[in-house]
Amino acid sequence: MADIAATVETYWATAQARDWRAFGATLADDVRYELPQTRERVLGRDGVVRFNAEYLGEWSLEVERVIADGEQAVSWVRFSEDEEETQAISFFTASADGRIQTITDFWPASYEPPREREQMVERF
């Protein structure tokens, strides 16, 4: 089995490069991509490639960390679009041949914390 951490690194690097052919090569034919916040699911390599390739706007991403154990991995990425930045946590599982079988993306929305917490925290 291929190294799932390396496959996830390649997945993100090829997305950043807009190299959709290489991006698709990281995915199993029957990959399943889910976004719980929006309750969306995309099935199959072609669908996942299209979903990402047709994402509008000028964006870029930077991988902060990938952690893997066996056939599972999690990544933390910083995603910038039109001068706004958000962070995402994504969970991956590998297929038998080491390509990505499932992806679950969590893209939390930023919000300002309640003022009552100001004295308890340090903002960054």
Side-chain angles (χ1 to χ4, degrees):
M1 175 178 285
D3 176 10
I4 187 64
T7 303
V8 169
E9 292 276 1
T10 300
Y11 169 89
W12 287 121
T14 56
Q16 172 63 25
R18 285 20 170 225
D19 183 346
W20 302 118
R21 179 177 226 177
F23 177 84
T26 68
L27 305 172
D29 293 339
D30 60 346
V31 63
R32 186 179 75 236
Y33 175 57
E34 295 183 345
L35 296 105
Q37 282 81 7
T38 58
R39 299 179 316 279
E40 294 173 291
R41 178 180 296 130
V42 181
L43 300 174
R45 177 186 299 133
D46 291 343
V48 173
V49 171
R50 181 177 176 205
F51 183 89
N52 284 276
E54 294 181 7
Y55 189 89
L56 300 176
E58 290 298 316
W59 56 268
S60 101
L61 64 87
E62 179 181 344
V63 176
E64 289 290 328
R65 187 175 301 158
V66 174
I67 300 171
D69 182 15
E71 60 190 41
Q72 300 179 75
V74 63
S75 69
W76 166 23
V77 298
R78 292 184 185 274
F79 184 83
S80 300
E81 180 181 15
D82 302 326
E83 298 184 32
E84 298 224 3
E85 182 180 284
T86 190
Q87 299 177 48
I89 302 294
S90 304
F91 294 87
F92 301 85
T93 61
S95 62
D97 65 0
R99 292 182 294 163
I100 297 169
Q101 184 69 59
T102 66
I103 308 160
T104 305
D105 270 349
F106 292 91
W107 294 86
S110 299
Y111 70 95
E112 287 301 312
R115 295 187 61 132
E116 299 82 43
R117 293 197 313 226
E118 286 179 352
Q119 73 280 1
M120 294 185 279
V121 300
E122 176 182 320
R123 298 295 301 271
F124 63 93

